[in-house]
Amino acid sequence: MKVAVLALDGVFDSGISALLDVLHTANALRDQLDGAPPPFDIRTVGVRRRVRTGLGHRIDTEPATTAHDAGLLVLPALMERRPAALVEAVASDAHRPVRRLLAGARERGTPLASSCTGTFLLAESGVLDGLRATTSWWLAPVFRDRYRRVTLEESRMVTTSDGVTTAGAAFSHLDLALAVVGMRSPALADLVRHYLVVDDRASQAAYVIPSAMARHDPLVAAFEQWVRARIREPLSVADAARDLGVSERTLQRTTARTLGCTPVRLVQDLRLEQAEHLMRTTGLPLTAVARRVGYEGPGPLRALLRRRRGTG
């Protein structure tokens, strides 16, 4: 399988390194398996023959045209942490050749993969229209607002939809690369995971900071602060809307547009965040923790922990 890793100016250093390290490790370990799959033919390609990473390191690339017969084209993230600047960059004239390259690969039926901020370039190229995708959890509100034709599943670590695989925040490049290996051989992916000491992580949910997402909209940010101030009390969305001076429908609609969830779900997330903080930093029993975050008993909190975090 020929894998073309597309390196762009400003590429996230650890992102491209993680992809290459995992793929080359898979090649090095494959002989340990009975019935080992063929090795990966790994190429680093670019729209320029020499690029600079986000930290200024130089990467020499093969011409992007060599990716036309690739079995997979992988786009690592760009090192841009400012949402507005990221959107401006992926839509800029400077990245028009990359967008054409990605769109052309999609038209040829070449499987595509990307992670973190790289998924913005996929979406800007139109290749994610009508598909499910994942990106960095903290960029989800911006992604959801700009790319309305993409179904965003930001809690997932890796999502595959019609030949396009996307992954979450920066270090999910490891998860993305292991998913690529797993497409050829689950046993080899498991072996690489053990050698590199990478946990099996299906979700970004445990890493999400609700307040970081809420601040993308003034109303949702105000609602988040309203909930935090009353975290121990029974809460009503209708009361929140009245105190915030909007209709309940407006609050529901704005929360869904910004966070992709209901106000009730945000309340649960904030309670869960506070409960996990108390469990890490105090010796309180679960019953007491539950009461401090608005539950009469530990049952609902325990069920929420199991459902959202996969823990007891």
Side-chain angles (χ1 to χ4, degrees), residues 247-286:
S247 68
E248 187 173 351
R249 182 179 179 183
T250 295
L251 181 57
Q252 295 270 5
R253 187 170 56 246
T254 306
T255 305
R257 185 184 67 242
T258 304
L259 304 181
C261 70
T262 65
V264 171
R265 171 66 182 267
L266 178 57
V267 171
Q268 291 176 338
D269 287 347
L270 293 170
R271 283 177 164 159
L272 186 58
E273 177 191 62
Q274 180 64 15
E276 289 182 321
H277 172 72
L278 292 171
M279 288 187 288
R280 286 195 304 267
T281 59
T282 73
L284 292 171
L286 191 61

Short mmCIF file of all heavy atoms in Angstrom, two decimals, residues 247-286:
data_model
loop_
_atom_site.label_atom_id
_atom_site.label_comp_id
_atom_site.label_asym_id
_atom_site.label_seq_id
_atom_site.Cartn_x
_atom_site.Cartn_y
_atom_site.Cartn_z
N SER A 247 -35.62 33.70 24.85
CA SER A 247 -36.61 32.63 24.89
C SER A 247 -35.91 31.28 25.07
O SER A 247 -34.72 31.12 24.75
CB SER A 247 -37.43 32.60 23.61
OG SER A 247 -36.62 32.20 22.52
N GLU A 248 -36.65 30.32 25.59
CA GLU A 248 -36.08 28.98 25.75
C GLU A 248 -35.67 28.41 24.39
O GLU A 248 -34.63 27.74 24.27
CB GLU A 248 -37.09 28.07 26.43
CG GLU A 248 -36.55 26.71 26.79
CD GLU A 248 -37.53 25.89 27.62
OE1 GLU A 248 -38.56 26.45 28.06
OE2 GLU A 248 -37.27 24.68 27.80
N ARG A 249 -36.48 28.70 23.37
CA ARG A 249 -36.15 28.20 22.04
C ARG A 249 -34.83 28.79 21.53
O ARG A 249 -34.02 28.09 20.92
CB ARG A 249 -37.29 28.53 21.07
CG ARG A 249 -37.07 28.00 19.67
CD ARG A 249 -38.23 28.35 18.77
NE ARG A 249 -38.02 27.88 17.40
CZ ARG A 249 -38.84 28.09 16.39
NH1 ARG A 249 -39.95 28.78 16.59
NH2 ARG A 249 -38.56 27.63 15.19
N THR A 250 -34.63 30.08 21.79
CA THR A 250 -33.38 30.72 21.35
C THR A 250 -32.18 30.08 22.05
O THR A 250 -31.14 29.83 21.41
CB THR A 250 -33.42 32.22 21.65
OG1 THR A 250 -34.44 32.83 20.86
CG2 THR A 250 -32.07 32.88 21.34
N LEU A 251 -32.32 29.82 23.33
CA LEU A 251 -31.23 29.18 24.07
C LEU A 251 -30.95 27.78 23.53
O LEU A 251 -29.80 27.39 23.35
CB LEU A 251 -31.56 29.13 25.56
CG LEU A 251 -30.49 28.52 26.48
CD1 LEU A 251 -29.17 29.27 26.34
CD2 LEU A 251 -30.96 28.53 27.93
N GLN A 252 -32.01 27.03 23.26
CA GLN A 252 -31.85 25.69 22.70
C GLN A 252 -31.14 25.75 21.35
O GLN A 252 -30.19 24.99 21.10
CB GLN A 252 -33.24 25.04 22.53
CG GLN A 252 -34.01 24.78 23.82
CD GLN A 252 -33.71 23.42 24.41
OE1 GLN A 252 -32.86 22.69 23.92
NE2 GLN A 252 -34.42 23.06 25.46
N ARG A 253 -31.62 26.63 20.49
CA ARG A 253 -31.08 26.72 19.14
C ARG A 253 -29.62 27.19 19.13
O ARG A 253 -28.79 26.64 18.40
CB ARG A 253 -31.95 27.66 18.31
CG ARG A 253 -31.58 27.69 16.83
CD ARG A 253 -32.61 28.44 16.01
NE ARG A 253 -32.81 29.79 16.49
CZ ARG A 253 -33.94 30.24 17.02
NH1 ARG A 253 -34.99 29.44 17.14
NH2 ARG A 253 -34.07 31.50 17.42
N THR A 254 -29.29 28.18 19.96
CA THR A 254 -27.93 28.71 20.00
C THR A 254 -26.95 27.69 20.57
O THR A 254 -25.83 27.55 20.08
CB THR A 254 -27.89 30.01 20.83
OG1 THR A 254 -28.86 30.93 20.33
CG2 THR A 254 -26.51 30.64 20.76
N THR A 255 -27.38 26.97 21.58
CA THR A 255 -26.51 25.93 22.15
C THR A 255 -26.25 24.82 21.15
O THR A 255 -25.13 24.34 21.01
CB THR A 255 -27.14 25.36 23.43
OG1 THR A 255 -27.43 26.42 24.35
CG2 THR A 255 -26.20 24.37 24.11
N ALA A 256 -27.29 24.44 20.43
CA ALA A 256 -27.13 23.38 19.42
C ALA A 256 -26.20 23.84 18.30
O ALA A 256 -25.36 23.07 17.83
CB ALA A 256 -28.49 22.99 18.85
N ARG A 257 -26.35 25.09 17.86
CA ARG A 257 -25.51 25.60 16.78
C ARG A 257 -24.05 25.70 17.20
O ARG A 257 -23.14 25.40 16.43
CB ARG A 257 -26.01 26.97 16.33
CG ARG A 257 -25.26 27.52 15.11
CD ARG A 257 -25.71 28.92 14.75
NE ARG A 257 -25.35 29.89 15.76
CZ ARG A 257 -26.22 30.60 16.46
NH1 ARG A 257 -27.52 30.46 16.26
NH2 ARG A 257 -25.82 31.47 17.37
N THR A 258 -23.81 26.11 18.44
CA THR A 258 -22.45 26.32 18.91
C THR A 258 -21.77 25.04 19.37
O THR A 258 -20.61 24.79 19.04
CB THR A 258 -22.45 27.34 20.07
OG1 THR A 258 -23.09 28.54 19.64
CG2 THR A 258 -21.03 27.66 20.52
N LEU A 259 -22.50 24.23 20.12
CA LEU A 259 -21.89 23.06 20.75
C LEU A 259 -22.35 21.73 20.16
O LEU A 259 -21.77 20.68 20.49
CB LEU A 259 -22.19 23.05 22.26
CG LEU A 259 -21.77 24.30 23.04
CD1 LEU A 259 -22.12 24.12 24.51
CD2 LEU A 259 -20.28 24.57 22.86
N GLY A 260 -23.40 21.77 19.35
CA GLY A 260 -23.91 20.52 18.80
C GLY A 260 -24.64 19.67 19.81
O GLY A 260 -24.73 18.45 19.66
N CYS A 261 -25.15 20.29 20.87
CA CYS A 261 -25.87 19.55 21.90
C CYS A 261 -26.96 20.42 22.50
O CYS A 261 -27.08 21.61 22.18
CB CYS A 261 -24.91 19.07 23.00
SG CYS A 261 -24.25 20.41 24.04
N THR A 262 -27.77 19.85 23.36
CA THR A 262 -28.84 20.58 24.03
C THR A 262 -28.31 21.29 25.27
O THR A 262 -27.24 20.92 25.80
CB THR A 262 -29.96 19.61 24.46
OG1 THR A 262 -29.43 18.72 25.46
CG2 THR A 262 -30.48 18.82 23.28
N PRO A 263 -29.04 22.27 25.80
CA PRO A 263 -28.64 22.88 27.07
C PRO A 263 -28.56 21.86 28.20
O PRO A 263 -27.68 21.95 29.06
CB PRO A 263 -29.76 23.91 27.33
CG PRO A 263 -30.24 24.27 25.96
CD PRO A 263 -30.17 23.00 25.18
N VAL A 264 -29.46 20.88 28.21
CA VAL A 264 -29.42 19.84 29.25
C VAL A 264 -28.11 19.08 29.18
O VAL A 264 -27.49 18.77 30.21
CB VAL A 264 -30.63 18.89 29.11
CG1 VAL A 264 -30.47 17.68 30.03
CG2 VAL A 264 -31.92 19.63 29.42
N ARG A 265 -27.65 18.77 27.96
CA ARG A 265 -26.38 18.06 27.81
C ARG A 265 -25.22 18.91 28.33
O ARG A 265 -24.29 18.39 28.98
CB ARG A 265 -26.17 17.71 26.34
CG ARG A 265 -24.79 17.17 25.98
CD ARG A 265 -24.51 15.83 26.60
NE ARG A 265 -23.16 15.38 26.26
CZ ARG A 265 -22.87 14.60 25.23
NH1 ARG A 265 -23.85 14.16 24.44
NH2 ARG A 265 -21.64 14.24 24.98
N LEU A 266 -25.25 20.22 28.09
CA LEU A 266 -24.20 21.08 28.61
C LEU A 266 -24.21 21.08 30.13
O LEU A 266 -23.15 21.03 30.77
CB LEU A 266 -24.35 22.50 28.08
CG LEU A 266 -23.31 23.52 28.60
CD1 LEU A 266 -21.89 23.06 28.28
CD2 LEU A 266 -23.57 24.91 28.01
N VAL A 267 -25.38 21.11 30.72
CA VAL A 267 -25.48 21.04 32.18
C VAL A 267 -24.83 19.75 32.69
O VAL A 267 -24.05 19.75 33.65
CB VAL A 267 -26.94 21.13 32.65
CG1 VAL A 267 -27.05 20.83 34.14
CG2 VAL A 267 -27.52 22.52 32.34
N GLN A 268 -25.13 18.64 32.04
CA GLN A 268 -24.54 17.36 32.43
C GLN A 268 -23.02 17.38 32.29
O GLN A 268 -22.30 16.88 33.16
CB GLN A 268 -25.12 16.24 31.58
CG GLN A 268 -26.58 15.94 31.86
CD GLN A 268 -27.14 14.89 30.91
OE1 GLN A 268 -26.61 14.68 29.82
NE2 GLN A 268 -28.22 14.23 31.33
N ASP A 269 -22.54 17.97 31.20
CA ASP A 269 -21.09 18.03 30.99
C ASP A 269 -20.41 18.85 32.08
O ASP A 269 -19.32 18.49 32.56
CB ASP A 269 -20.78 18.64 29.62
CG ASP A 269 -21.09 17.70 28.47
OD1 ASP A 269 -21.31 16.49 28.73
OD2 ASP A 269 -21.14 18.16 27.31
N LEU A 270 -21.02 19.97 32.45
CA LEU A 270 -20.44 20.82 33.49
C LEU A 270 -20.46 20.12 34.85
O LEU A 270 -19.51 20.21 35.63
CB LEU A 270 -21.18 22.16 33.55
CG LEU A 270 -21.01 23.06 32.33
CD1 LEU A 270 -21.97 24.23 32.38
CD2 LEU A 270 -19.57 23.55 32.22
N ARG A 271 -21.54 19.42 35.13
CA ARG A 271 -21.60 18.66 36.38
C ARG A 271 -20.56 17.54 36.39
O ARG A 271 -19.91 17.28 37.42
CB ARG A 271 -23.01 18.11 36.58
CG ARG A 271 -24.01 19.17 37.05
CD ARG A 271 -25.41 18.64 37.18
NE ARG A 271 -26.22 19.57 37.98
CZ ARG A 271 -27.54 19.62 37.95
NH1 ARG A 271 -28.22 18.81 37.15
NH2 ARG A 271 -28.19 20.49 38.72
N LEU A 272 -20.41 16.89 35.28
CA LEU A 272 -19.43 15.81 35.18
C LEU A 272 -18.02 16.36 35.34
O LEU A 272 -17.18 15.76 36.03
CB LEU A 272 -19.58 15.12 33.83
CG LEU A 272 -18.73 13.87 33.58
CD1 LEU A 272 -19.01 12.81 34.64
CD2 LEU A 272 -19.02 13.31 32.20
N GLU A 273 -17.73 17.49 34.71
CA GLU A 273 -16.41 18.11 34.84
C GLU A 273 -16.10 18.43 36.29
O GLU A 273 -15.01 18.14 36.80
CB GLU A 273 -16.37 19.38 33.99
CG GLU A 273 -15.05 20.15 34.10
CD GLU A 273 -15.15 21.52 33.46
OE1 GLU A 273 -15.97 22.34 33.94
OE2 GLU A 273 -14.43 21.77 32.48
N GLN A 274 -17.07 19.03 37.01
CA GLN A 274 -16.86 19.39 38.40
C GLN A 274 -16.72 18.14 39.27
O GLN A 274 -15.89 18.09 40.19
CB GLN A 274 -18.02 20.26 38.90
CG GLN A 274 -17.91 20.71 40.36
CD GLN A 274 -16.72 21.61 40.62
OE1 GLN A 274 -16.12 22.14 39.68
NE2 GLN A 274 -16.35 21.79 41.87
N ALA A 275 -17.52 17.12 38.98
CA ALA A 275 -17.45 15.88 39.76
C ALA A 275 -16.09 15.22 39.60
O ALA A 275 -15.49 14.76 40.59
CB ALA A 275 -18.55 14.92 39.30
N GLU A 276 -15.56 15.18 38.38
CA GLU A 276 -14.25 14.57 38.17
C GLU A 276 -13.16 15.36 38.87
O GLU A 276 -12.20 14.78 39.40
CB GLU A 276 -13.97 14.47 36.67
CG GLU A 276 -14.84 13.42 35.99
CD GLU A 276 -14.52 13.27 34.52
OE1 GLU A 276 -14.27 14.32 33.87
OE2 GLU A 276 -14.53 12.14 34.03
N HIS A 277 -13.30 16.69 38.89
CA HIS A 277 -12.33 17.52 39.62
C HIS A 277 -12.37 17.18 41.11
O HIS A 277 -11.30 17.01 41.75
CB HIS A 277 -12.65 19.00 39.41
CG HIS A 277 -11.83 19.91 40.27
ND1 HIS A 277 -10.49 20.14 40.05
CD2 HIS A 277 -12.17 20.64 41.38
CE1 HIS A 277 -10.04 20.98 40.98
NE2 HIS A 277 -11.03 21.30 41.78
N LEU A 278 -13.55 17.05 41.69
CA LEU A 278 -13.67 16.72 43.10
C LEU A 278 -13.12 15.33 43.40
O LEU A 278 -12.48 15.11 44.44
CB LEU A 278 -15.13 16.81 43.55
CG LEU A 278 -15.73 18.22 43.57
CD1 LEU A 278 -17.24 18.16 43.81
CD2 LEU A 278 -15.06 19.08 44.64
N MET A 279 -13.35 14.38 42.49
CA MET A 279 -12.84 13.02 42.72
C MET A 279 -11.32 12.97 42.64
O MET A 279 -10.68 12.16 43.31
CB MET A 279 -13.47 12.06 41.71
CG MET A 279 -14.94 11.78 42.00
SD MET A 279 -15.65 10.48 40.96
CE MET A 279 -15.76 11.31 39.39
N ARG A 280 -10.74 13.84 41.83
CA ARG A 280 -9.27 13.87 41.73
C ARG A 280 -8.62 14.60 42.89
O ARG A 280 -7.49 14.28 43.27
CB ARG A 280 -8.84 14.55 40.42
CG ARG A 280 -9.04 13.73 39.16
CD ARG A 280 -8.26 14.34 37.99
NE ARG A 280 -8.63 15.73 37.78
CZ ARG A 280 -9.57 16.14 36.94
NH1 ARG A 280 -10.26 15.25 36.23
NH2 ARG A 280 -9.85 17.42 36.79
N THR A 281 -9.29 15.61 43.43
CA THR A 281 -8.63 16.53 44.36
C THR A 281 -9.11 16.41 45.80
O THR A 281 -8.58 17.09 46.67
CB THR A 281 -8.82 17.98 43.89
OG1 THR A 281 -10.22 18.28 43.82
CG2 THR A 281 -8.19 18.19 42.52
N THR A 282 -10.13 15.60 46.06
CA THR A 282 -10.63 15.44 47.43
C THR A 282 -10.80 13.95 47.73
O THR A 282 -10.72 13.11 46.83
CB THR A 282 -11.99 16.13 47.63
OG1 THR A 282 -13.01 15.37 46.97
CG2 THR A 282 -11.98 17.55 47.08
N GLY A 283 -11.04 13.66 48.99
CA GLY A 283 -11.32 12.29 49.40
C GLY A 283 -12.79 12.05 49.61
O GLY A 283 -13.18 11.07 50.28
N LEU A 284 -13.63 12.90 49.04
CA LEU A 284 -15.07 12.77 49.24
C LEU A 284 -15.61 11.49 48.61
O LEU A 284 -15.19 11.11 47.50
CB LEU A 284 -15.80 13.96 48.62
CG LEU A 284 -15.59 15.33 49.28
CD1 LEU A 284 -16.21 16.43 48.42
CD2 LEU A 284 -16.22 15.33 50.69
N PRO A 285 -16.54 10.82 49.28
CA PRO A 285 -17.18 9.66 48.65
C PRO A 285 -18.07 10.11 47.51
O PRO A 285 -18.45 11.28 47.41
CB PRO A 285 -18.00 9.05 49.78
CG PRO A 285 -18.27 10.19 50.72
CD PRO A 285 -17.05 11.07 50.64
N LEU A 286 -18.42 9.18 46.63
CA LEU A 286 -19.19 9.53 45.44
C LEU A 286 -20.54 10.16 45.79
O LEU A 286 -21.01 11.05 45.10
CB LEU A 286 -19.41 8.29 44.57
CG LEU A 286 -19.96 8.56 43.17
CD1 LEU A 286 -19.02 9.43 42.36
CD2 LEU A 286 -20.22 7.25 42.43
#
